[in-house]
Amino acid sequence: MFLLVPYEVRTLTIRVPWANYLLIGLNVLFFGLLLTDHLSEEWTYQMVLTGWYAYELLGHQFLHAGLGHLLGNMAFLWVFGNALAGVMNNLLYLALYLVMGVCAAAIHLVVNGHPMIGASGAISGLLGIYLAVYPVNRIHCFYFFMIRPGWFDAPGYLLIVLWFLMNLAYAVLD
């Protein structure tokens, strides 16, 4: 078993990244509502990406398959989203997140066509922007391999390439 979690990146922050806090809160809220059966099965199914409806193209970004899926996405969103939202207009950041998620959904529907949930597409889009803005910033990471934990720093481009390869592998093996 291998686990890799980025936990900090140092960038200039000129504003509070409230848009990122909102997105993380919405993802956690929807996960909690699903766990406690406060969302009907019919309503939840309408959020799953199966076609080209607007509520599916947006809704799938706030559903996750399990706690590990949610925590992994939110760790990357926390680290990279805060860095980006802290230097750009929060409304622009929010729009970029949603547009990236819709673009990822459209690509998924064209290439794969299977139902999909999760924020990975939107987060991957944000990682692409982060890569363009901060390619060599050091990212502090925690890892756990078998029974051995540790920490290391990696340049942004290395960690982001690993993220893309991991998500590509999941998409191809799905």
Side-chain angles (χ1 to χ4, degrees):
M1 179 181 130
F2 181 73
L3 175 69
L4 176 65
V5 180
Y7 64 88
E8 182 183 37
V9 62
R10 297 197 182 178
T11 59
L12 273 178
T13 303
I14 54 177
R15 62 181 46 92
V16 175
W18 65 261
N20 200 50
Y21 298 160
L22 174 67
L23 289 170
I24 291 170
L26 286 172
N27 277 283
V28 171
L29 174 67
F30 274 98
F31 188 75
L33 291 173
L34 284 170
L35 279 182
T36 58
D37 292 328
H38 281 86
L39 292 180
S40 71
E41 192 173 310
E42 178 184 324
W43 200 80
T44 303
Y45 182 74
Q46 288 182 348
M47 292 177 67
V48 174
L49 180 68
T50 59
W52 295 95
Y53 296 107
Y55 51 84
E56 292 178 4
L57 292 171
L58 292 171
H60 81 280
Q61 299 177 55
F62 299 99
L63 299 177
H64 290 83
L67 186 59
H69 186 206
L70 175 73
L71 292 176
N73 276 343
M74 294 307 101
F76 274 78
L77 187 57
W78 176 263
V79 171
F80 298 102
N82 284 345
L84 289 174
V87 295
M88 68 172 47
N89 178 297
N90 277 291
L91 293 176
L92 174 61
Y93 172 81
L94 189 59
L96 280 173
Y97 177 91
L98 295 172
V99 167
M100 295 293 177
V102 169
C103 290
I107 292 168
H108 176 81
L109 286 171
V110 169
V111 173
N112 189 317
H114 291 90
M116 181 180 81
I117 60 172
S120 298
I123 295 169
S124 292
L126 293 178
L127 289 176
I129 295 169
Y130 181 92
L131 183 61
V133 176
Y134 301 113
V136 295
N137 273 31
R138 308 292 294 172
I139 300 165
H140 307 293
C141 300
F142 167 79
Y143 71 88
F144 188 83
F145 182 66
M146 300 290 195
I147 59 170
R148 178 174 230 169
W151 292 264
F152 69 95
D153 290 349
Y157 66 86
L158 181 62
L159 195 63
I160 292 170
V161 166
L162 287 174
W163 164 270
F164 281 115
L165 290 175
M166 180 183 72
N167 278 285
L168 182 62
Y170 285 141
V172 168
L173 297 174
D174 183 29

